[in-house]
Amino acid sequence: MGQLNYHHLRYFREVAIEGHLGRAAARLNVSQSALSIQIRQLEARLGHDLFDRVGRSLVLTEAGRIALDHAYRIFTAGDDLLATLRQSSTTSPPLRVGALSTLSRNFQLQFLRPLLETAECNIVLKSGNTKTLLADLETLALDVVLTTEMPQSGSASTFAAQKLSEQPVGIHGRPECLNYGSLTSLLSNEPLILPTESVIRAGFENLIANLDIQPRIAANVDDMAMVRLLAREGAGLAIAPAVVLADEIASGTVMTAPFDLEIMEPFFAVTLPRKFPHPALRDLVQARFSDAPEKSYSGG
């Protein structure tokens, strides 16, 4: 409790509930004088009177009402802590999910959908680069990290990375921009929207080296939602998994070129082995996802 005494707060709460020093003392099994001393010590620590005496009753002051509100929250947090460590809690804490900033929003929704449909707990989402997210995972600020990259060796922590899915990377764009007879012609003549995501970037660089071409890159983008938007608006052809543009492909606004790039983008759930993992995490990580989700999220 730092500079506050936990027992002082407990005694104060009981007096506030009873509104009477003697009844609270009997309930706590302490002497009335000892209880009075505890309350005075808390008032001295806070610098405010917590009670006004009205007749034979004790009535909370404004400072007392504020202190009681905080005391309830403190004791509730303490009860939650005990229940969590005893693994007997009936409520789940928020699931804290980190996601690589270039990761498809559709895929993130696909991962979280079972939890969203049951509303078992709140979800906290954070995006960033792999290094930052894994650092948060190590400090227990995150429960899981969704990424397309395997954690690099050399960390003091032992991460567990489970592959959730693997999807082919294709070329997607306006139908009128895909009328080419070969992959080489398509990539040589149409502007491209290239994600900065490392797996796609490395595969694409290898592809154009093998084809011996110098494509025109209209945009290098670190956000899959922006990749989707630019492709939808006709700014260029997107090099991405189909899940990124699932809505546009379904509506016919965007089509996928009939060429195999031989690039696969994996999706991993990275966790850190813990004695007290989040209760909802196991089922989510063990789920498997199809390459063509039934629904998609409009964020790309």
Side-chain angles (χ1 to χ4, degrees):
M1 291 297 298
Q3 295 179 323
L4 281 178
N5 189 297
Y6 198 87
H7 292 293
H8 288 173
L9 282 177
R10 178 170 173 255
Y11 293 149
F12 160 70
R13 183 184 63 173
E14 295 302 322
V15 174
I17 292 172
E18 293 292 341
H20 190 277
L21 200 62
R23 289 196 298 269
R27 184 170 172 177
L28 292 167
N29 196 27
V30 298
S31 68
Q32 187 169 325
S33 60
L35 182 57
S36 179
I37 291 172
Q38 300 288 329
I39 297 301
R40 288 201 299 271
Q41 288 177 343
L42 179 60
E43 289 177 326
R45 178 67 193 87
L46 296 176
H48 295 278
D49 291 337
L50 300 177
F51 295 100
D52 286 326
R53 184 172 290 279
V54 180
R56 302 182 63 182
S57 300
L58 294 176
V59 178
L60 287 168
T61 63
E62 181 181 357
R65 289 194 295 271
I66 294 172
L68 182 61
D69 178 63
H70 281 75
Y72 275 123
R73 281 185 279 161
I74 289 169
F75 285 110
T76 297
D79 291 341
D80 288 343
L81 171 61
L82 291 174
T84 297
L85 295 182
R86 292 170 180 166
Q87 297 184 323
S88 61
S89 177
T90 57
T91 60
S92 294
L95 178 67
R96 298 160 302 176
V97 180
L100 192 66
S101 59
T102 56
L103 193 68
S104 164
R105 304 302 192 269
N106 283 341
F107 182 78
Q108 294 179 46
L109 179 64
Q110 192 177 348
F111 176 79
L112 295 170
R113 182 174 288 123
L115 195 58
L116 293 171
E117 291 176 346
T118 60
E120 290 181 357
C121 68
N122 294 328
I123 299 170
V124 177
L125 296 173
K126 178 181 179 178
S127 63
N129 59 53
T130 300
K131 182 179 179 180
T132 300
L133 295 176
L134 292 181
D136 286 342
L137 189 63
E138 287 185 287
T139 60
L140 309 186
L142 292 174
D143 296 300
V144 61
V145 170
L146 302 179
T147 179
T148 58
E149 306 170 10
M150 286 285 288
Q152 297 295 315
S153 60
S155 171
S157 299
T158 303
F159 296 107
Q162 181 164 342
K163 184 184 288 186
L164 303 175
S165 180
E166 188 174 57
Q167 300 186 2
V169 174
I171 305 175
H172 317 281
R174 292 280 190 89
E176 62 271 19
C177 299
L178 300 176
N179 296 320
Y180 292 87
S182 69
L183 176 60
T184 300
S185 297
L186 178 64
L187 294 179
S188 299
N189 291 282
E190 291 292 333
L192 304 178
I193 303 163
L194 188 62
T196 58
E197 193 277 321
S198 61
V199 174
I200 296 177
R201 171 73 63 167
F204 181 77
E205 294 292 344
N206 184 62
L207 173 66
I208 61 173
N210 290 335
L211 295 177
D212 193 24
I213 58 174
Q214 292 293 328
R216 177 159 57 97
I217 307 300
N220 290 283
V221 186
D222 65 357
D223 185 336
M224 284 296 187
M226 183 56 69
V227 169
R228 173 190 180 184
L229 177 62
L230 291 173
R232 186 173 65 195
E233 295 302 313
L237 304 181
I239 310 298
V243 66
V244 174
L245 301 104
D247 288 342
E248 286 74 16
I249 293 172
S251 67
T253 305
V254 166
M255 293 183 64
T256 301
F259 303 113
D260 185 2
L261 304 186
E262 298 184 358
I263 302 173
M264 298 295 293
E265 182 176 50
F267 296 93
F268 298 99
V270 181
T271 57
L272 194 64
R274 296 179 185 175
K275 187 175 181 180
F276 306 101
H278 193 285
L281 187 56
R282 185 181 65 178
D283 290 340
L284 288 179
V285 172
Q286 289 182 345
R288 290 293 183 268
F289 306 100
S290 65
D291 289 343
E294 294 180 359
K295 301 177 183 178
S296 61
Y297 172 60
S298 60

